[in-house]
Amino acid sequence: MIARRAIIIKLPKDKCDVNYILRLMALANLVYRGYEIWAPDLPKTIQHQLYNFKNYMESLVFGTTPKKWLVSVWVPLKTLRIYTDGSRKGDIGAPVVFDFKSNVIKLHQICGNKRGYVVAIPMPKWVIERVKEGGDVKYAMIGLKNNEPYLALVTEREVESYQSSGYKLVIDVNAWNNGVAYGIINPNNRIAEYSPLRPNLRLIDTWYHKAEKLSKKLGKLKRLGLGSTLETERLKREINMLRKKVYAHLRDFAQKKAHELALKAIRLRAEVLIDDMIEESRKELIEEKIPTGLRKIYLAETRRFVKLLVTQLQWYGVPHRFKRLPSTICPICGSELTQLPGRIMVCGNCGFNAPRDKVPIYWVLKISTVLHY
Ligand SMILES: [Zn+2]
């Protein structure tokens, strides 16, 4: 199986011509649509390699055909890799050159429409790590995000999943207010470890409520016709900053935990079972009458967490599958469970009780027992 991982890197704005990149993106958009138009003032080398991509467009990791006209399409680029031992891989004429000897990435004529225009950026640590793991940076893409130039790198690696040691790592993905719960089941079919992982909810709630309060104040000023004073500008900036902080915190948390869980699986040579309960969590949040804004925050980055986790499991050859595991049905007798305060689930029939997010782990135990005996 081929596993892939990607990263995006901000390019120096002062060295990259945004309008030129925009034109290349427009050209890439046409290529995706099957048109071949040669712009006379753009470098032939870049256009040639863009049209070369047509032949294996479907197989590209760069995504599917853009749905809307004039949607922004990142420009796919070939790469040349020069390793420390002097060996080379890739296309000699590629516009993106990875020089592992001097630890730089050189971008030829993609940051500016000038003959021989080269921008060199330092080699990211991420690339060096992926290459050490046997990865190869076959493709790159250049594009704009919020009008800022970025380089996207895609590493590929041929992997085979390892044979599980009998350990199971069960990961239950919920909205952040309940968090991601994980449980480790050892080869003797016992729960060896169980823990919910939650971001700093107190901090998130504080930032959210502060932003809400300031938004109300801003709304009041706007209604009074004071929408563009120094005071309102300051309020807007502060609200933006608070919201950014919330999302940055969640993004960071999702990234760290996905990595930690992948490493945990590798260390135990465990098989990973993922129960993606994001939809169920969404309904639960509505039932609990959580305000829309906070609901959005609690669900933000949960999909990305799953994607990050799966990407890393694939990359490291960890056997994994998605499995829906009930959290409201008794794993002992099959009766409906009742929820008590504090999200404790209780069975009225047999007396089983457990925290709601731990019930799925008991289900894995039950399923494994049935399979073993
Ligand atoms: Zn029961």
Side-chain angles (χ1 to χ4, degrees):
M1 196 193 67
I2 290 181
R4 293 191 175 95
R5 283 181 76 176
I7 193 178
I8 61 169
I9 300 153
K10 209 172 195 168
L11 293 173
K13 208 176 176 178
D14 55 324
K15 287 183 192 149
C16 292
D17 178 354
V18 166
N19 287 325
Y20 172 60
I21 296 171
L22 208 58
R23 283 197 66 202
L24 291 179
M25 287 171 85
L27 210 58
N29 187 307
L30 291 169
V31 176
Y32 271 104
R33 280 164 209 294
Y35 294 100
E36 194 170 317
I37 291 158
W38 292 85
D41 62 321
L42 292 179
K44 282 274 181 299
T45 45
I46 303 288
Q47 295 191 64
H48 264 296
Q49 72 120 29
L50 204 53
Y51 291 115
N52 276 341
F53 269 105
K54 265 199 319 199
N55 307 331
Y56 47 103
M57 216 152 58
E58 296 299 318
S59 69
L60 289 184
V61 261
F62 304 147
T64 46
T65 316
K67 286 187 183 66
K68 274 184 284 181
W69 270 104
L70 298 173
V71 81
S72 46
V73 176
W74 286 43
V75 185
L77 302 161
K78 284 183 189 166
T79 67
L80 170 68
R81 288 84 74 197
I82 305 168
Y83 296 104
T84 41
D85 64 356
S87 63
R88 287 159 179 249
K89 250 195 214 169
D91 200 322
I92 297 291
V96 182
V97 180
F98 289 82
D99 186 342
F100 290 99
K101 276 180 173 169
S102 30
N103 265 331
V104 286
I105 305 176
K106 287 180 196 144
L107 307 166
H108 293 265
Q109 281 193 75
I110 48 170
C111 281
N113 190 7
K114 270 173 276 172
R115 248 190 119 76
Y117 186 64
V118 183
V119 172
I121 56 166
M123 182 77 71
K125 218 175 101 210
W126 185 90
V127 173
I128 296 167
E129 279 168 9
R130 298 296 83 80
V131 169
K132 256 190 209 150
E133 289 165 352
D136 189 9
V137 205
K138 272 196 182 161
Y139 306 111
M141 278 189 289
I142 194 165
L144 300 176
K145 215 180 121 189
N146 302 325
N147 219 30
E148 304 265 356
Y150 280 91
L151 186 72
L153 303 174
V154 183
T155 48
E156 276 189 8
R157 179 186 178 215
E158 184 75 45
V159 266
E160 225 172 290
S161 293
Y162 59 67
Q163 197 72 39
S164 152
S165 61
Y167 271 98
K168 286 191 188 73
L169 174 61
V170 186
I171 302 171
D172 211 19
V173 188
N174 304 289
W176 293 123
N177 55 330
N178 296 318
V180 171
Y182 78 89
I184 293 168
I185 296 173
N186 69 20
N188 300 326
N189 222 19
R190 283 188 201 286
I191 301 176
E193 199 178 320
Y194 166 79
S195 176
L197 306 170
R198 289 189 201 102
N200 191 335
L201 291 172
R202 199 179 298 168
L203 208 55
I204 287 171
D205 284 8
T206 309
W207 287 335
Y208 166 77
H209 288 296
K210 207 168 165 195
E212 283 297 284
K213 212 174 122 193
L214 295 177
S215 292
K216 273 192 194 126
K217 198 168 161 192
L218 181 65
K220 226 180 253 170
L221 287 172
K222 275 185 181 165
R223 277 193 299 281
L224 289 170
L226 300 166
S228 50
T229 60
L230 277 177
E231 168 70 356
T232 52
E233 287 309 310
R234 192 189 59 80
L235 276 174
K236 275 184 212 162
R237 265 202 310 277
E238 205 172 331
I239 294 166
N240 265 338
M241 205 188 67
L242 284 165
R243 294 204 170 127
K244 264 191 194 155
K245 260 159 93 174
V246 168
Y247 287 102
H249 182 80
L250 290 175
R251 207 161 38 240
D252 191 48
F253 185 81
Q255 204 151 347
K256 274 198 188 120
K257 295 303 159 188
H259 189 59
E260 277 173 29
L261 287 169
L263 290 183
K264 224 180 242 300
I266 298 166
R267 211 162 41 235
L268 297 166
R269 293 187 79 77
E271 183 199 2
V272 176
L273 283 105
I274 306 162
D275 188 6
D276 172 351
M277 316 231 292
I278 298 170
E279 271 319 302
E280 213 176 298
S281 292
R282 192 190 300 277
K283 282 180 205 135
E284 220 183 309
L285 289 173
I286 296 171
E287 278 164 23
E288 285 170 20
K289 298 199 171 56
I290 305 279
T292 325
L294 200 54
R295 209 155 70 209
K296 222 176 110 191
I297 288 170
Y298 285 161
L299 288 165
E301 307 287 330
T302 46
R303 292 251 166 257
R304 190 162 162 274
F305 168 81
V306 175
K307 215 178 142 199
L308 283 170
L309 178 68
V310 170
T311 308
Q312 293 194 32
L313 295 177
Q314 279 170 350
W315 182 263
Y316 294 111
V318 180
H320 60 282
R321 61 197 155 107
F322 281 87
K323 181 130 188 81
R324 289 313 322 256
L325 298 159
S327 57
T328 56
I329 298 167
C330 177
I332 309 296
C333 71
S335 303
E336 190 82 25
L337 295 171
T338 318
Q339 184 164 330
L340 299 181
R343 295 179 94 240
I344 300 289
M345 304 305 279
V346 180
C347 175
N349 186 38
C350 73
F352 167 85
N353 66 82
R356 182 167 173 144
D357 300 322
K358 204 174 177 178
V359 178
I361 293 154
Y362 282 103
W363 269 98
V364 176
L365 277 185
K366 183 192 169 90
I367 296 164
S368 317
T369 314
V370 171
L371 290 178
H372 278 290
Y373 303 105

